[in-house]
Amino acid sequence: MTNTEFTGKLRRLAADYNMLPAGGTILCAVSGGKDSMALLHALYTLEAELGFSLHAAHYNHNLRGAESQRDATFVEAYCREKGIPFTLGSGDVAAAARVSGRGIEETARDLRYAFLEDVAKRIGASRIATAHQAEDNLETLLLNLIRGTGLRGLGGIPPVRGAIVRPLLTTTREEIEAYLTAEEVPFVEDSSNGESVYRRNRLRHEVLPVLRELNPRLTESATATIRSLREDEAYLEARALEVFREALPAEEGLVLPTKRLSRLPSAIAVRVIRRMLEGIEASAPTGAHIAGILEVIRGGDPSASIRLPGGVLVQRVYEEVLFAYESSQEPLPPFAPCSLNRKGKTEIPGTGWSVYCEATVAPGEASAGDGVMYLRQEALSGALTLRPRQAGDILALPGRRSKSLKKLMIEEKLPRRDRERIPVLDAGGALVAVAGLGPQRDYLAKPGELALALRFQKEELCGR
């Protein structure tokens, strides 16, 4: 495939989703493999023409010994040769997975994206380009189908998610390989790609060859199907949003007219239900929860109700459907901010929370999960304050991607009633750590650094 044909396909998708804005900085994630090297080379050739600035980044997961170091060295050397600004990062994925109790693949992904987000923030990049291509999208569709999914899951990998863009998402592996050959672009092979221990690799090596015997143009067909399904999903979500905007606040939550909900097609009603639950900061519902809520809405009982985890109540009140928290679960008011005592114990009145601090040196196993956070003393030079959460709080936990504190609290299923009473450590207006969740990764001390050892402890209050 020639440069013009390859970049033309990339440019069309990028234009559809404004992936490569003129005047912006594009951070390209580069593993050194075929896909990412094709993407890097294509962006390098388009940089001047489209008017963006290119920066490359590589994250060494340290999972394959000398091979991992080989990849990092290769990418760095290539970028130096081409004059592409480059940032290298690394982490001990295996150790992080052991500490967190999560899988290697999930941990590697979280650490990699956390690194990319940090680099993008530091260099002012408006987009992070990753090399997901059409076969990746096909595999994602099939994996979602295997474990069970709805229309959103059948839509595969989104072309854009926040700052993440995927300019190769409609480009096939065959087209990438032809481009690499035509343009003489070097790359390295990841030996783990041939291992069938990973589900995606097993699907790639054992299942897809059989499907391609049935349809040699499987990837192209799936790409067209995925695009159609994503368009359908976008339409249904837009319709659901129109209905959700009609919701009115109630003292306990949100309400919609029963007739408005009961007459909706199920495809839209389900999406409205999800938005209503998001609107009251409830956890994501299961399929069984959704089915139960639909029964409440469409049944004949004018006072039917269903209780969901976390104290959530969905109830028919004759002409309205109420999505709320039960009265016994009404949120507690926020506590009054107070200063942190760096040398001992700080009790936060009325919350049951205490915070213990002492100056120390960060140990080698600072993230071993003993509940102590080791924070860099030099980053905490000003006054430290314990406060409740605020709108706009963002927390980037170690090994995980940045998320709003509100979303993290929902994901961790922290009771809505208690969220305003969970202490946040603040340093001069910057969020440093959150009780029950963890520290902001930028403040973590490295082994041997002067640190502030911080531990949150909760005791139940009488009469709560």
CSV table of all heavy atoms in Angstrom, one decimal, residues 397-456:
chain,number,residue,atom,x,y,z
A,397,LEU,N,-5.1,7.6,40.7
A,397,LEU,CA,-4.5,6.6,41.6
A,397,LEU,C,-3.3,5.9,41.0
A,397,LEU,O,-3.3,5.8,39.7
A,397,LEU,CB,-5.6,5.5,42.0
A,397,LEU,CG,-6.8,6.1,42.8
A,397,LEU,CD1,-7.9,5.0,42.8
A,397,LEU,CD2,-6.3,6.4,44.2
A,398,PRO,N,-2.4,5.4,41.7
A,398,PRO,CA,-1.2,4.7,41.2
A,398,PRO,C,-1.7,3.5,40.3
A,398,PRO,O,-2.5,2.7,40.7
A,398,PRO,CB,-0.5,4.2,42.4
A,398,PRO,CG,-0.9,5.1,43.5
A,398,PRO,CD,-2.3,5.5,43.2
A,399,GLY,N,-1.1,3.5,39.1
A,399,GLY,CA,-1.4,2.4,38.2
A,399,GLY,C,-2.8,2.5,37.5
A,399,GLY,O,-3.2,1.5,36.9
A,400,ARG,N,-3.5,3.6,37.7
A,400,ARG,CA,-4.8,3.7,37.1
A,400,ARG,C,-4.9,5.1,36.4
A,400,ARG,O,-4.1,6.0,36.6
A,400,ARG,CB,-5.9,3.6,38.2
A,400,ARG,CG,-5.9,2.2,38.8
A,400,ARG,CD,-6.9,2.0,40.0
A,400,ARG,NE,-8.2,2.2,39.5
A,400,ARG,CZ,-9.3,2.0,40.3
A,400,ARG,NH1,-9.1,1.8,41.6
A,400,ARG,NH2,-10.5,2.2,39.9
A,401,ARG,N,-5.9,5.2,35.6
A,401,ARG,CA,-6.1,6.4,34.9
A,401,ARG,C,-6.8,7.5,35.7
A,401,ARG,O,-7.5,7.2,36.6
A,401,ARG,CB,-6.9,6.1,33.6
A,401,ARG,CG,-6.2,5.1,32.7
A,401,ARG,CD,-7.1,4.6,31.6
A,401,ARG,NE,-7.4,5.7,30.7
A,401,ARG,CZ,-8.3,5.6,29.7
A,401,ARG,NH1,-8.9,4.4,29.5
A,401,ARG,NH2,-8.5,6.6,28.9
A,402,SER,N,-6.6,8.7,35.3
A,402,SER,CA,-7.3,9.9,36.0
A,402,SER,C,-8.8,9.7,35.8
A,402,SER,O,-9.3,9.5,34.7
A,402,SER,CB,-6.8,11.2,35.4
A,402,SER,OG,-5.4,11.3,35.5
A,403,LYS,N,-9.5,10.0,36.9
A,403,LYS,CA,-11.0,10.0,36.9
A,403,LYS,C,-11.5,11.0,37.9
A,403,LYS,O,-10.8,11.4,38.8
A,403,LYS,CB,-11.6,8.6,37.3
A,403,LYS,CG,-11.3,7.5,36.2
A,403,LYS,CD,-12.0,6.2,36.6
A,403,LYS,CE,-11.8,5.1,35.5
A,403,LYS,NZ,-12.5,3.9,35.9
A,404,SER,N,-12.7,11.4,37.6
A,404,SER,CA,-13.3,12.4,38.6
A,404,SER,C,-13.6,11.6,39.9
A,404,SER,O,-13.8,10.4,39.9
A,404,SER,CB,-14.7,12.9,38.1
A,404,SER,OG,-15.6,11.9,38.1
A,405,LEU,N,-13.4,12.3,41.0
A,405,LEU,CA,-13.6,11.7,42.3
A,405,LEU,C,-15.1,11.2,42.4
A,405,LEU,O,-15.3,10.1,43.0
A,405,LEU,CB,-13.3,12.7,43.4
A,405,LEU,CG,-13.4,12.2,44.9
A,405,LEU,CD1,-12.5,10.9,45.0
A,405,LEU,CD2,-13.0,13.3,45.8
A,406,LYS,N,-16.0,11.9,41.9
A,406,LYS,CA,-17.4,11.4,41.9
A,406,LYS,C,-17.5,10.0,41.2
A,406,LYS,O,-18.1,9.1,41.7
A,406,LYS,CB,-18.3,12.4,41.1
A,406,LYS,CG,-19.7,12.0,40.9
A,406,LYS,CD,-20.4,13.1,40.1
A,406,LYS,CE,-21.8,12.6,39.7
A,406,LYS,NZ,-22.6,13.7,39.0
A,407,LYS,N,-16.9,9.9,40.0
A,407,LYS,CA,-17.0,8.6,39.3
A,407,LYS,C,-16.3,7.5,40.1
A,407,LYS,O,-16.8,6.4,40.2
A,407,LYS,CB,-16.4,8.8,37.9
A,407,LYS,CG,-16.6,7.5,37.1
A,407,LYS,CD,-16.2,7.8,35.6
A,407,LYS,CE,-16.5,6.6,34.7
A,407,LYS,NZ,-16.1,6.8,33.3
A,408,LEU,N,-15.1,7.8,40.7
A,408,LEU,CA,-14.4,6.8,41.4
A,408,LEU,C,-15.3,6.3,42.6
A,408,LEU,O,-15.3,5.1,42.9
A,408,LEU,CB,-13.1,7.3,41.9
A,408,LEU,CG,-11.9,7.3,40.9
A,408,LEU,CD1,-10.7,8.0,41.4
A,408,LEU,CD2,-11.5,5.8,40.6
A,409,MET,N,-15.9,7.2,43.3
A,409,MET,CA,-16.7,6.9,44.5
A,409,MET,C,-17.9,6.0,44.0
A,409,MET,O,-18.2,5.0,44.8
A,409,MET,CB,-17.2,8.1,45.2
A,409,MET,CG,-16.2,8.9,46.0
A,409,MET,SD,-16.9,10.3,46.8
A,409,MET,CE,-15.5,10.7,47.9
A,410,ILE,N,-18.4,6.2,42.9
A,410,ILE,CA,-19.5,5.4,42.4
A,410,ILE,C,-19.0,4.0,42.0
A,410,ILE,O,-19.6,3.0,42.4
A,410,ILE,CB,-20.2,6.1,41.1
A,410,ILE,CG1,-20.9,7.3,41.5
A,410,ILE,CG2,-21.1,5.1,40.5
A,410,ILE,CD1,-21.4,8.2,40.4
A,411,GLU,N,-17.8,4.0,41.3
A,411,GLU,CA,-17.3,2.7,40.9
A,411,GLU,C,-16.9,1.8,42.1
A,411,GLU,O,-17.0,0.6,42.0
A,411,GLU,CB,-16.0,3.0,40.0
A,411,GLU,CG,-16.4,3.5,38.6
A,411,GLU,CD,-15.2,3.8,37.8
A,411,GLU,OE1,-14.0,3.7,38.3
A,411,GLU,OE2,-15.3,4.1,36.6
A,412,GLU,N,-16.4,2.5,43.1
A,412,GLU,CA,-16.0,1.7,44.3
A,412,GLU,C,-17.1,1.4,45.2
A,412,GLU,O,-16.9,0.9,46.3
A,412,GLU,CB,-14.9,2.5,45.1
A,412,GLU,CG,-13.6,2.7,44.3
A,412,GLU,CD,-12.9,1.4,43.9
A,412,GLU,OE1,-12.9,0.5,44.8
A,412,GLU,OE2,-12.4,1.3,42.8
A,413,LYS,N,-18.3,1.8,44.8
A,413,LYS,CA,-19.6,1.6,45.5
A,413,LYS,C,-19.5,2.2,47.0
A,413,LYS,O,-20.0,1.6,47.9
A,413,LYS,CB,-19.9,0.1,45.6
A,413,LYS,CG,-20.2,-0.5,44.2
A,413,LYS,CD,-20.5,-2.0,44.2
A,413,LYS,CE,-21.0,-2.5,42.9
A,413,LYS,NZ,-20.1,-2.2,41.8
A,414,LEU,N,-18.9,3.3,47.1
A,414,LEU,CA,-18.9,4.0,48.4
A,414,LEU,C,-20.3,4.5,48.6
A,414,LEU,O,-20.9,5.2,47.7
A,414,LEU,CB,-17.9,5.2,48.4
A,414,LEU,CG,-16.4,4.7,48.2
A,414,LEU,CD1,-15.5,5.9,48.3
A,414,LEU,CD2,-16.0,3.7,49.3
A,415,PRO,N,-20.9,4.3,49.7
A,415,PRO,CA,-22.3,4.7,50.0
A,415,PRO,C,-22.5,6.2,49.7
A,415,PRO,O,-21.8,7.0,50.2
A,415,PRO,CB,-22.6,4.3,51.4
A,415,PRO,CG,-21.6,3.3,51.7
A,415,PRO,CD,-20.4,3.6,50.9
A,416,ARG,N,-23.6,6.5,49.0
A,416,ARG,CA,-23.9,7.9,48.7
A,416,ARG,C,-24.1,8.7,50.0
A,416,ARG,O,-23.6,9.9,50.1
A,416,ARG,CB,-25.1,8.0,47.8
A,416,ARG,CG,-25.6,9.4,47.5
A,416,ARG,CD,-26.8,9.3,46.5
A,416,ARG,NE,-27.3,10.6,46.2
A,416,ARG,CZ,-28.3,11.2,46.9
A,416,ARG,NH1,-28.9,10.6,47.9
A,416,ARG,NH2,-28.8,12.4,46.5
A,417,ARG,N,-24.6,8.1,51.0
A,417,ARG,CA,-24.9,8.7,52.2
A,417,ARG,C,-23.6,9.3,52.9
A,417,ARG,O,-23.6,10.3,53.5
A,417,ARG,CB,-25.5,7.7,53.2
A,417,ARG,CG,-25.6,8.2,54.7
A,417,ARG,CD,-26.3,7.1,55.5
A,417,ARG,NE,-26.2,7.3,56.9
A,417,ARG,CZ,-27.0,8.1,57.6
A,417,ARG,NH1,-28.0,8.7,57.0
A,417,ARG,NH2,-26.8,8.2,58.9
A,418,ASP,N,-22.5,8.6,52.6
A,418,ASP,CA,-21.2,8.9,53.3
A,418,ASP,C,-20.3,9.7,52.5
A,418,ASP,O,-19.2,10.1,53.0
A,418,ASP,CB,-20.5,7.6,53.7
A,418,ASP,CG,-21.3,6.8,54.7
A,418,ASP,OD1,-22.1,7.4,55.5
A,418,ASP,OD2,-21.2,5.6,54.7
A,419,ARG,N,-20.6,10.0,51.2
A,419,ARG,CA,-19.6,10.6,50.3
A,419,ARG,C,-19.1,12.0,50.7
A,419,ARG,O,-18.0,12.4,50.5
A,419,ARG,CB,-20.1,10.6,48.9
A,419,ARG,CG,-20.2,9.2,48.3
A,419,ARG,CD,-20.8,9.2,46.9
A,419,ARG,NE,-21.2,7.8,46.6
A,419,ARG,CZ,-22.0,7.5,45.6
A,419,ARG,NH1,-22.5,8.5,44.8
A,419,ARG,NH2,-22.3,6.2,45.3
A,420,GLU,N,-20.0,12.8,51.3
A,420,GLU,CA,-19.6,14.1,51.8
A,420,GLU,C,-18.8,14.1,53.1
A,420,GLU,O,-18.3,15.1,53.5
A,420,GLU,CB,-20.8,15.0,52.0
A,420,GLU,CG,-21.7,15.1,50.7
A,420,GLU,CD,-21.0,15.7,49.5
A,420,GLU,OE1,-20.0,16.5,49.8
A,420,GLU,OE2,-21.4,15.4,48.4
A,421,ARG,N,-18.7,12.9,53.7
A,421,ARG,CA,-18.0,12.8,55.0
A,421,ARG,C,-16.7,12.0,54.8
A,421,ARG,O,-16.0,11.7,55.8
A,421,ARG,CB,-18.8,12.0,56.0
A,421,ARG,CG,-20.1,12.7,56.4
A,421,ARG,CD,-19.8,13.9,57.2
A,421,ARG,NE,-21.0,14.6,57.8
A,421,ARG,CZ,-21.5,14.4,59.0
A,421,ARG,NH1,-20.9,13.5,59.8
A,421,ARG,NH2,-22.6,15.0,59.4
A,422,ILE,N,-16.3,11.7,53.5
A,422,ILE,CA,-15.0,11.1,53.3
A,422,ILE,C,-13.9,12.1,53.1
A,422,ILE,O,-14.0,13.0,52.3
A,422,ILE,CB,-15.1,10.2,52.0
A,422,ILE,CG1,-16.1,9.1,52.2
A,422,ILE,CG2,-13.7,9.6,51.6
A,422,ILE,CD1,-16.4,8.2,51.0
A,423,PRO,N,-12.9,12.0,54.0
A,423,PRO,CA,-11.9,13.1,54.0
A,423,PRO,C,-11.0,13.1,52.7
A,423,PRO,O,-10.6,12.1,52.2
A,423,PRO,CB,-11.0,12.8,55.2
A,423,PRO,CG,-11.8,11.8,56.0
A,423,PRO,CD,-12.7,11.0,55.0
A,424,VAL,N,-10.8,14.3,52.2
A,424,VAL,CA,-9.8,14.6,51.1
A,424,VAL,C,-8.7,15.4,51.7
A,424,VAL,O,-8.9,16.4,52.3
A,424,VAL,CB,-10.6,15.3,50.0
A,424,VAL,CG1,-9.5,15.7,48.9
A,424,VAL,CG2,-11.7,14.5,49.4
A,425,LEU,N,-7.5,14.9,51.4
A,425,LEU,CA,-6.3,15.7,51.8
A,425,LEU,C,-6.0,16.7,50.7
A,425,LEU,O,-5.8,16.3,49.6
A,425,LEU,CB,-5.1,14.8,52.1
A,425,LEU,CG,-3.8,15.5,52.5
A,425,LEU,CD1,-4.0,16.3,53.8
A,425,LEU,CD2,-2.7,14.5,52.7
A,426,ASP,N,-5.9,18.0,51.1
A,426,ASP,CA,-5.7,19.1,50.2
A,426,ASP,C,-4.4,19.8,50.5
A,426,ASP,O,-4.1,20.1,51.7
A,426,ASP,CB,-6.9,20.0,50.2
A,426,ASP,CG,-6.8,21.1,49.2
A,426,ASP,OD1,-5.9,22.0,49.2
A,426,ASP,OD2,-7.7,21.1,48.3
A,427,ALA,N,-3.6,20.1,49.5
A,427,ALA,CA,-2.3,20.9,49.7
A,427,ALA,C,-2.4,22.1,48.8
A,427,ALA,O,-2.2,22.0,47.6
A,427,ALA,CB,-1.1,20.0,49.4
A,428,GLY,N,-2.7,23.2,49.4
A,428,GLY,CA,-2.8,24.5,48.6
A,428,GLY,C,-3.8,24.4,47.4
A,428,GLY,O,-3.5,25.0,46.4
A,429,GLY,N,-4.9,23.7,47.6
A,429,GLY,CA,-5.9,23.7,46.5
A,429,GLY,C,-5.7,22.5,45.6
A,429,GLY,O,-6.6,22.2,44.8
A,430,ALA,N,-4.7,21.6,45.9
A,430,ALA,CA,-4.5,20.4,45.0
A,430,ALA,C,-4.9,19.2,45.8
A,430,ALA,O,-4.5,19.1,47.0
A,430,ALA,CB,-3.0,20.3,44.6
A,431,LEU,N,-5.6,18.3,45.2
A,431,LEU,CA,-6.0,17.1,45.9
A,431,LEU,C,-4.8,16.2,46.0
A,431,LEU,O,-4.1,15.9,45.0
A,431,LEU,CB,-7.1,16.4,45.1
A,431,LEU,CG,-7.8,15.2,45.7
A,431,LEU,CD1,-9.2,15.0,45.1
A,431,LEU,CD2,-7.0,13.9,45.4
A,432,VAL,N,-4.5,15.7,47.2
A,432,VAL,CA,-3.4,14.8,47.4
A,432,VAL,C,-3.7,13.4,47.7
A,432,VAL,O,-3.1,12.4,47.2
A,432,VAL,CB,-2.5,15.4,48.6
A,432,VAL,CG1,-1.4,14.4,49.0
A,432,VAL,CG2,-2.0,16.8,48.3
A,433,ALA,N,-4.8,13.1,48.4
A,433,ALA,CA,-5.2,11.8,48.8
A,433,ALA,C,-6.6,11.8,49.2
A,433,ALA,O,-7.2,12.8,49.7
A,433,ALA,CB,-4.3,11.2,49.9
A,434,VAL,N,-7.3,10.6,49.1
A,434,VAL,CA,-8.7,10.4,49.5
A,434,VAL,C,-8.8,9.2,50.4
A,434,VAL,O,-8.3,8.1,50.0
A,434,VAL,CB,-9.6,10.3,48.3
A,434,VAL,CG1,-11.1,10.2,48.8
A,434,VAL,CG2,-9.5,11.5,47.4
A,435,ALA,N,-9.4,9.3,51.6
A,435,ALA,CA,-9.6,8.2,52.4
A,435,ALA,C,-10.4,7.1,51.7
A,435,ALA,O,-11.4,7.4,51.1
A,435,ALA,CB,-10.3,8.7,53.7
A,436,GLY,N,-10.0,5.9,51.9
A,436,GLY,CA,-10.7,4.8,51.3
A,436,GLY,C,-10.4,4.5,49.8
A,436,GLY,O,-10.8,3.5,49.3
A,437,LEU,N,-9.7,5.5,49.2
A,437,LEU,CA,-9.4,5.3,47.7
A,437,LEU,C,-7.9,5.3,47.5
A,437,LEU,O,-7.4,4.4,46.9
A,437,LEU,CB,-10.0,6.5,46.9
A,437,LEU,CG,-11.6,6.5,46.8
A,437,LEU,CD1,-12.1,7.7,46.1
A,437,LEU,CD2,-12.1,5.2,46.2
A,438,GLY,N,-7.2,6.3,48.0
A,438,GLY,CA,-5.7,6.2,47.9
A,438,GLY,C,-5.1,7.6,47.6
A,438,GLY,O,-5.8,8.6,47.5
A,439,PRO,N,-3.8,7.6,47.3
A,439,PRO,CA,-3.1,8.9,47.0
A,439,PRO,C,-3.1,9.3,45.5
A,439,PRO,O,-3.3,8.4,44.6
A,439,PRO,CB,-1.7,8.5,47.5
A,439,PRO,CG,-1.6,7.1,47.1
A,439,PRO,CD,-2.9,6.5,47.3
A,440,GLN,N,-3.0,10.5,45.3
A,440,GLN,CA,-2.7,11.0,44.0
A,440,GLN,C,-1.3,10.6,43.6
A,440,GLN,O,-0.3,10.8,44.4
A,440,GLN,CB,-2.7,12.6,44.0
A,440,GLN,CG,-2.7,13.2,42.6
A,440,GLN,CD,-4.1,13.2,42.0
A,440,GLN,OE1,-4.4,12.4,41.2
A,440,GLN,NE2,-5.0,14.2,42.4
A,441,ARG,N,-1.1,9.9,42.5
A,441,ARG,CA,0.1,9.2,42.2
A,441,ARG,C,1.3,10.2,42.1
A,441,ARG,O,2.4,9.8,42.4
A,441,ARG,CB,0.0,8.4,40.9
A,441,ARG,CG,-0.3,9.2,39.6
A,441,ARG,CD,-0.2,8.3,38.4
A,441,ARG,NE,-0.6,9.0,37.2
A,441,ARG,CZ,-1.8,8.8,36.6
A,441,ARG,NH1,-2.7,8.0,37.1
A,441,ARG,NH2,-2.1,9.5,35.5
A,442,ASP,N,1.1,11.5,41.7
A,442,ASP,CA,2.1,12.4,41.5
A,442,ASP,C,2.8,12.8,42.9
A,442,ASP,O,3.9,13.3,42.9
A,442,ASP,CB,1.6,13.7,40.9
A,442,ASP,CG,1.2,13.5,39.4
A,442,ASP,OD1,1.7,12.5,38.9
A,442,ASP,OD2,0.5,14.4,38.9
A,443,TYR,N,2.1,12.5,44.0
A,443,TYR,CA,2.6,12.8,45.3
A,443,TYR,C,3.3,11.6,46.0
A,443,TYR,O,3.8,11.8,47.1
A,443,TYR,CB,1.5,13.3,46.2
A,443,TYR,CG,1.0,14.7,45.8
A,443,TYR,CD1,0.1,15.0,44.9
A,443,TYR,CD2,1.6,15.9,46.4
A,443,TYR,CE1,-0.3,16.2,44.5
A,443,TYR,CE2,1.2,17.2,46.1
A,443,TYR,CZ,0.2,17.3,45.1
A,443,TYR,OH,-0.1,18.6,44.8
A,444,LEU,N,3.3,10.5,45.4
A,444,LEU,CA,3.9,9.3,46.0
A,444,LEU,C,5.4,9.4,46.1
A,444,LEU,O,6.1,9.9,45.2
A,444,LEU,CB,3.5,8.0,45.2
A,444,LEU,CG,2.2,7.4,45.5
A,444,LEU,CD1,2.0,6.1,44.6
A,444,LEU,CD2,2.1,7.0,47.0
A,445,ALA,N,5.9,9.1,47.3
A,445,ALA,CA,7.4,9.1,47.5
A,445,ALA,C,8.0,7.8,46.9
A,445,ALA,O,7.4,6.8,46.9
A,445,ALA,CB,7.7,9.2,48.9
A,446,LYS,N,9.2,8.0,46.4
A,446,LYS,CA,10.0,6.8,45.9
A,446,LYS,C,10.7,6.3,47.1
A,446,LYS,O,11.0,7.0,48.0
A,446,LYS,CB,10.9,7.2,44.8
A,446,LYS,CG,10.2,7.7,43.5
A,446,LYS,CD,11.2,8.1,42.5
A,446,LYS,CE,10.5,8.6,41.2
A,446,LYS,NZ,11.4,9.1,40.2
A,447,PRO,N,11.1,5.0,47.0
A,447,PRO,CA,11.9,4.4,48.1
A,447,PRO,C,13.1,5.2,48.4
A,447,PRO,O,13.9,5.6,47.5
A,447,PRO,CB,12.3,3.0,47.5
A,447,PRO,CG,11.2,2.7,46.6
A,447,PRO,CD,10.8,4.0,45.9
A,448,GLY,N,13.3,5.5,49.7
A,448,GLY,CA,14.5,6.2,50.1
A,448,GLY,C,14.2,7.7,50.2
A,448,GLY,O,15.1,8.5,50.8
A,449,GLU,N,13.1,8.3,49.7
A,449,GLU,CA,12.8,9.7,49.8
A,449,GLU,C,12.2,10.0,51.1
A,449,GLU,O,11.5,9.2,51.8
A,449,GLU,CB,11.9,10.1,48.7
A,449,GLU,CG,12.5,10.2,47.3
A,449,GLU,CD,11.5,10.7,46.3
A,449,GLU,OE1,10.3,10.6,46.4
A,449,GLU,OE2,12.0,11.4,45.3
A,450,LEU,N,12.4,11.3,51.6
A,450,LEU,CA,11.8,11.8,52.8
A,450,LEU,C,10.3,11.8,52.5
A,450,LEU,O,9.8,12.3,51.5
A,450,LEU,CB,12.3,13.2,53.1
A,450,LEU,CG,13.7,13.3,53.6
A,450,LEU,CD1,14.1,14.7,53.8
A,450,LEU,CD2,14.0,12.4,54.8
A,451,ALA,N,9.5,11.3,53.4
A,451,ALA,CA,8.1,11.1,53.2
A,451,ALA,C,7.3,11.4,54.4
A,451,ALA,O,7.8,11.4,55.5
A,451,ALA,CB,7.8,9.7,52.7
A,452,LEU,N,6.0,11.7,54.1
A,452,LEU,CA,5.0,11.8,55.2
A,452,LEU,C,4.2,10.5,55.1
A,452,LEU,O,3.5,10.3,54.1
A,452,LEU,CB,4.1,13.0,55.0
A,452,LEU,CG,3.1,13.4,56.1
A,452,LEU,CD1,3.9,13.8,57.3
A,452,LEU,CD2,2.2,14.4,55.7
A,453,ALA,N,4.2,9.7,56.2
A,453,ALA,CA,3.4,8.5,56.2
A,453,ALA,C,2.0,8.9,56.7
A,453,ALA,O,1.9,9.4,57.8
A,453,ALA,CB,4.1,7.5,57.2
A,454,LEU,N,1.0,8.6,55.9
A,454,LEU,CA,-0.3,9.0,56.1
A,454,LEU,C,-1.2,7.8,56.2
A,454,LEU,O,-1.2,6.9,55.3
A,454,LEU,CB,-0.8,9.9,55.0
A,454,LEU,CG,-2.2,10.6,55.1
A,454,LEU,CD1,-2.1,11.8,56.1
A,454,LEU,CD2,-2.6,11.0,53.8
A,455,ARG,N,-2.1,7.7,57.2
A,455,ARG,CA,-3.0,6.6,57.4
A,455,ARG,C,-4.4,7.1,57.8
A,455,ARG,O,-4.5,7.7,58.9
A,455,ARG,CB,-2.5,5.5,58.3
A,455,ARG,CG,-3.4,4.3,58.5
A,455,ARG,CD,-2.7,3.2,59.3
A,455,ARG,NE,-2.3,3.6,60.6
A,455,ARG,CZ,-3.1,3.6,61.7
A,455,ARG,NH1,-4.3,3.1,61.6
A,455,ARG,NH2,-2.6,4.0,62.9
A,456,PHE,N,-5.4,6.8,57.0
A,456,PHE,CA,-6.8,7.1,57.4
A,456,PHE,C,-7.4,5.9,58.2
A,456,PHE,O,-7.2,4.8,57.8
A,456,PHE,CB,-7.6,7.4,56.2
A,456,PHE,CG,-7.3,8.6,55.4
A,456,PHE,CD1,-6.4,8.6,54.4
A,456,PHE,CD2,-7.8,9.9,55.8
A,456,PHE,CE1,-6.0,9.7,53.6
A,456,PHE,CE2,-7.5,11.0,55.1
A,456,PHE,CZ,-6.6,11.0,54.0
